[in-house]
């Protein structure tokens, strides 16, 4: 079983839509959690850390449920520039464990 | 401030050859990690170095090795290249070891023919 699992999508949504991505992880001892964004043939860029209390950064909201080992990312008012692959990432102490990523395409 | 830098950007090698990839972390960051990303997959952890010592190693064969220098830059070496080593090799830096956010360089795209 893969340590971090995500729905690969693709998610095709119109501009202005709200879209949610989910992710599960297998190691209950995992220490920190992130969402990274990766554009085609580019490096992953940190989008936001994820905290148990939930956190928001503009149009982006991340949630962590440690009991269910579940992480989510909500994007409101989608922009064309949000089109990318979103990687769910779990840090087990030194290594980042990545999901395969969820592909998002925002269309006009 | 400069971000993580990597060289070269692209590289083409033949099976059986050796390759060395280089990385300079963000100024002030003491930890460097290496990842391999093949098409359609998330990055896979190879190594982490902190203060010039290996702190973690992923599930990669002994053909893969790395080191960190006193200025915190790092090299990843791969011997006896296989076709399956073709991938994007990413370097990430963080302030310290452990469960920190990591910041990635642009990567080196290696093609093995």
């Amino acid at each position: 079983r893969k340590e971090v699992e995500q729905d690969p999508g693709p998610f095709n949504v119109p501009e202005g839509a709200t879209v949610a991505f989910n992710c599960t992880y297998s190691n209950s001892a995992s220490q920190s959690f992130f969402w990274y964004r990766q554009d085609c043939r580019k490096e992953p860029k940190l989008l936001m850390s994820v905290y148990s209390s939930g956190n928001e950064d503009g149009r982006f909201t991340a949630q962590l449920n440690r009991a269910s080992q579940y992480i989510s990312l909500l994007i409101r008012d989608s922009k064309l520039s949000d089109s990318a692959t979103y990687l769910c990432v779990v840090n087990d102490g030194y290594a980042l464990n990545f999901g395969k990523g969820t592909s998002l395409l925002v269309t006009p | 401030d400069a971000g993580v830098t990597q060289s070269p950007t692209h590289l083409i090698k033949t099976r059986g050859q050796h390759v060395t990839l280089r990385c300079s972390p963000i100024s002030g960051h003491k930890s460097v990690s290496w990842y391999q990303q093949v098409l359609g997959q998330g990055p896979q952890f190879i190594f982490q170095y902190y203060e010039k010592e290996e702190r973690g190693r992923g599930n990669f064969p002994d053909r893969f090795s790395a080191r960190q220098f006193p200025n915190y830059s790092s090299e990843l070496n791969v011997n006896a290249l296989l076709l399956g080593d073709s991938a994007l090799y990413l370097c990430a830096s963080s302030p310290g070891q452990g469960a920190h956010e990591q910041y990635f360089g642009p990567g080196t795209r290696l093609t093995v023919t």
Side-chain angles (χ1 to χ4, degrees), chain A residues 24-44:
Chain A
T24 57
Y25 62 96
S26 60
N27 185 355
S28 60
S30 296
Q31 300 179 17
S32 54
F33 309 87
F34 309 97
W35 284 99
Y36 278 74
R37 169 196 169 127
Q38 187 170 29
D39 293 291
C40 187
R41 300 182 71 81
K42 299 284 192 180
E43 73 273 22

Side-chain angles (χ1 to χ4, degrees), chain B residues 2-77:
Chain B
V4 178
T5 60
Q6 292 186 244
S7 63
T9 306
H10 296 86
L11 203 51
I12 299 174
K13 290 286 192 178
T14 304
R15 276 177 296 177
Q17 287 189 315
H18 163 91
V19 68
T20 298
L21 311 181
R22 296 178 174 83
C23 170
S24 291
I26 293 169
S27 177
H29 284 192
K30 297 182 178 181
S31 178
V32 169
S33 299
W34 288 95
Y35 293 82
Q36 180 196 66
Q37 186 175 26
V38 299
L39 200 61
Q41 303 290 321
Q44 295 292 311
F45 173 72
I46 310 175
F47 287 110
Q48 184 181 80
Y49 276 77
Y50 176 72
E51 291 285 12
K52 302 186 293 294
E53 291 191 10
E54 181 183 305
R55 301 293 182 166
R57 183 183 183 118
N59 188 24
F60 279 81
D62 291 344
R63 300 184 295 108
F64 289 76
S65 63
R67 55 180 176 167
Q68 187 177 33
F69 300 100
N71 66 353
Y72 303 111
S73 67
S74 178
E75 283 183 355
L76 175 70
N77 296 283

Side-chain angles (χ1 to χ4, degrees), chain A residues 65-91:
Chain A
N65 185 321
R66 285 188 182 265
S68 303
Q69 295 177 208
Y70 173 93
I71 306 165
S72 65
L73 177 69
L74 183 76
I75 305 176
R76 291 181 300 280
D77 189 22
S78 298
K79 311 292 185 191
L80 296 177
S81 58
D82 293 334
S83 297
T85 296
Y86 290 82
L87 297 159
C88 177
V89 184
V90 174
N91 189 318

Side-chain angles (χ1 to χ4, degrees), chain A residues 2 31-32 34 36 38 41-46 48-49 51 87 91-101, chain B residues 33 35 37 40-45 48 55-57 88 90 97-107 109:
Chain A
K2 188 143 173 56
Q31 300 179 17
S32 54
F34 309 97
Y36 278 74
Q38 187 170 29
R41 300 182 71 81
K42 299 284 192 180
E43 73 273 22
K45 291 188 186 293
L46 179 65
M48 59 198 302
S49 301
Y51 305 111
L87 297 159
N91 189 318
D92 292 340
Y94 50 84
L96 296 182
N97 291 306
F98 285 80
K100 285 188 177 182
Chain B
S33 299
Y35 293 82
Q37 186 175 26
Q41 303 290 321
Q44 295 292 311
F45 173 72
Q48 184 181 80
R55 301 293 182 166
R57 183 183 183 118
L88 180 67
L90 294 159
Q97 64 174 338
H100 293 283
E101 300 166 348
Q102 296 183 13
Y103 299 89
F104 286 84
R109 191 163 298 278

